[in-house]
Amino acid sequence: MRQEGHPGREVVQGLAVLGATGSIGVSTLKVAELHPERFRVVALSAYERAEELRALCQAWRPALAAIHAPEAARRLTQSLAGVGTEVLAGPAALERIVCDPRVTTVVCGIVGAAGLKSAWAAVAAGKRVLFANKEPLVMSGHLLMALARSSGAQLLPLDSEHNAIFQCLPQPRAGLAEAGVRRIVLTCSGGPFRNTPASEFATITPEQACAHPRWSMGRKISVDSATLMNKGLELIEACRLFEATPEQVDIVIHPQSIIHSLVEYVDGSTLAQLGNPDMRTPIAHALAFPERIEAGVARLDLATMGRLEFEAPDEERFPCLRLARAAAVAGASAPTVLNAANEIAVEAFLSRALPFAAIPRVIESVLEARPVVPVESIEAILEEDRMAREYARRVVGGHRAKGAAAC
């Protein structure tokens, strides 16, 4: 990032890394460590991993740190005596962090709807906002994009697929039609059960679902990848970020995860972004945009790869794709309801209260029960999220009762 009027002079970005102990946060700090002249870590947050957050604060000495529980914050304050880090607690702490004037760039790495309010605050404050968690854009993307236009915030995608699309589009970018884009193609590894018969889905365990063949991720997103809901959420995110219709976004299974996504133009050209499956590549791209910096990622050797494979996704075996596309088409409150139902179903699966095969059934039940209504404020979105979660918990309870009766 160059300072205007001072050629060759670096402007140090003040980073706030939300979800610093997760895979995105760890990868972000690895990239930042390679470029101390460019990045200064101002703030770090974690939900409950206090010891890991303490170690990061001792290494990076940020001005601010945040953790959810007040008691954990008290202990963290004691253990960081002399480091110079102010420790904050509670949900409002994240909003204070992103609005701090020392913070210029916010990395949103909090999983799920829990990251919505802090992302909203960062955009409202006009920051450079790097989105790794797709849920805020799924839930409120139309409002977030409008807010960014009014606040002057810069939104950059960290998801490998959306970052790839961003790289394959002309910059600065007008609409897709003005750029001559015919369609966007999201690639998908297919997850750990790409070749597993649907008849075996009922016995899949959380451990099996979290064993992703290509990426190292948290448990929730790993399950989303196993059901292919992650790709469904990414479809909605692509529509929000790039002002595309659901009909303009396709999905293709690509097990090697080397091509991260593609953009097809009306003249028959298709541009693809390739790279080893390592999140440091899109993170480095977004952190330094419009420049390029070293990410510490191994070079891609296509000769060693041998071949790249592609196939169409099977929506009969993975109905979450169908449900996500239907929610994208319906718009309004439907994506919020989809996301809420999915989070409750995945949580139940991870706690062994719901079988893997029932995850899409719970989501579909909630989508059928909840009416599609306009959502034109964050308060309306949060209310739809709350009601959808309540209904989803009842549906999960019904599944548990049926299972107990069957036993």
Side-chain angles (χ1 to χ4, degrees), residues 325-376:
R325 188 175 288 277
V329 171
S333 61
T336 299
V337 172
L338 173 92
N339 181 72
N342 179 63
E343 289 194 17
I344 295 301
V346 170
E347 179 183 280
F349 167 68
L350 286 172
S351 65
R352 303 181 194 277
L354 189 74
F356 181 84
I359 292 174
R361 294 201 291 270
V362 169
I363 298 166
E364 189 161 25
S365 295
V366 179
L367 284 170
E368 289 175 350
R370 296 295 310 157
V372 178
V373 298
V375 280
E376 296 304 329

Side-chain angles (χ1 to χ4, degrees), residues 247-269:
E247 294 75 20
Q248 288 177 298
V249 183
D250 286 343
I251 296 169
V252 64
I253 302 294
H254 170 46
Q256 292 81 16
S257 298
I258 295 299
I259 296 178
H260 299 295
S261 277
L262 312 93
V263 174
E264 179 185 308
Y265 289 85
V266 294
D267 62 2
S269 300

Side-chain angles (χ1 to χ4, degrees), residues 96-390:
R96 177 178 165 188
I97 279 176
V98 301
C99 293
D100 190 284
R102 292 167 291 186
V103 171
T104 60
T105 301
V106 178
V107 176
C108 296
I110 297 173
V111 175
L116 175 61
K117 286 187 176 180
S118 54
W120 188 275
V123 174
K127 306 291 184 173
R128 183 181 174 105
V129 185
L130 279 53
F131 275 101
N133 61 325
K134 55 190 67 62
E135 290 82 2
L137 284 162
V138 168
M139 296 170 68
S140 64
H142 63 301
L143 297 178
L144 271 175
M145 299 302 286
L147 182 62
R149 287 190 290 270
S150 64
S151 71
Q154 184 180 28
L155 273 56
L156 294 169
L158 285 191
D159 251 358
S160 60
E161 295 83 359
H162 300 86
N163 183 266
I165 294 163
F166 184 83
Q167 292 192 48
C168 292
L169 290 171
Q171 302 296 334
R173 175 178 53 83
L176 294 184
E178 291 81 356
V181 173
R182 177 179 285 135
R183 64 171 182 153
I184 289 167
V185 182
L186 292 168
T187 57
C188 173
S189 72
F193 309 125
R194 180 171 64 93
N195 296 316
T196 303
S199 59
E200 298 179 15
F201 280 14
T203 60
I204 287 171
T205 67
E207 291 75 19
Q208 291 171 318
C210 291
H212 195 279
R214 292 288 173 182
W215 298 93
S216 175
M217 304 178 294
R219 284 164 63 80
K220 190 269 181 183
I221 192 172
S222 293
V223 176
D224 283 350
S225 294
T227 64
L228 300 198
M229 176 56 87
N230 189 53
K231 206 54 50 178
L233 296 175
E234 288 178 2
L235 183 153
I236 299 172
E237 182 184 6
C239 292
R240 307 292 207 197
L241 278 172
F242 306 114
E243 299 179 344
T245 66
E247 294 75 20
Q248 288 177 298
V249 183
D250 286 343
I251 296 169
V252 64
I253 302 294
H254 170 46
Q256 292 81 16
S257 298
I258 295 299
I259 296 178
H260 299 295
S261 277
L262 312 93
V263 174
E264 179 185 308
Y265 289 85
V266 294
D267 62 2
S269 300
T270 298
L271 303 186
Q273 188 266 337
L274 289 72
N276 283 314
D278 190 317
M279 282 304 299
R280 288 176 295 175
T281 294
I283 288 169
H285 176 267
L287 282 173
F289 182 80
E291 298 180 49
R292 298 273 183 171
I293 59 174
E294 172 64 45
V297 177
R299 292 176 59 190
L300 178 63
D301 187 340
L302 289 175
T304 301
M305 282 299 306
R307 65 179 183 179
L308 303 177
E309 301 169 301
F310 306 91
E311 61 188 65
D314 184 346
E315 294 189 4
E316 291 298 317
R317 292 169 60 239
F318 298 99
C320 285
L321 279 179
R322 169 179 56 82
L323 297 174
R325 188 175 288 277
V329 171
S333 61
T336 299
V337 172
L338 173 92
N339 181 72
N342 179 63
E343 289 194 17
I344 295 301
V346 170
E347 179 183 280
F349 167 68
L350 286 172
S351 65
R352 303 181 194 277
L354 189 74
F356 181 84
I359 292 174
R361 294 201 291 270
V362 169
I363 298 166
E364 189 161 25
S365 295
V366 179
L367 284 170
E368 289 175 350
R370 296 295 310 157
V372 178
V373 298
V375 280
E376 296 304 329
S377 68
I378 189 171
E379 292 78 17
I381 288 165
L382 291 172
E383 180 62 12
E384 281 298 314
D385 177 77
R386 183 190 65 79
M387 291 189 292
R389 287 171 188 271
E390 285 185 2

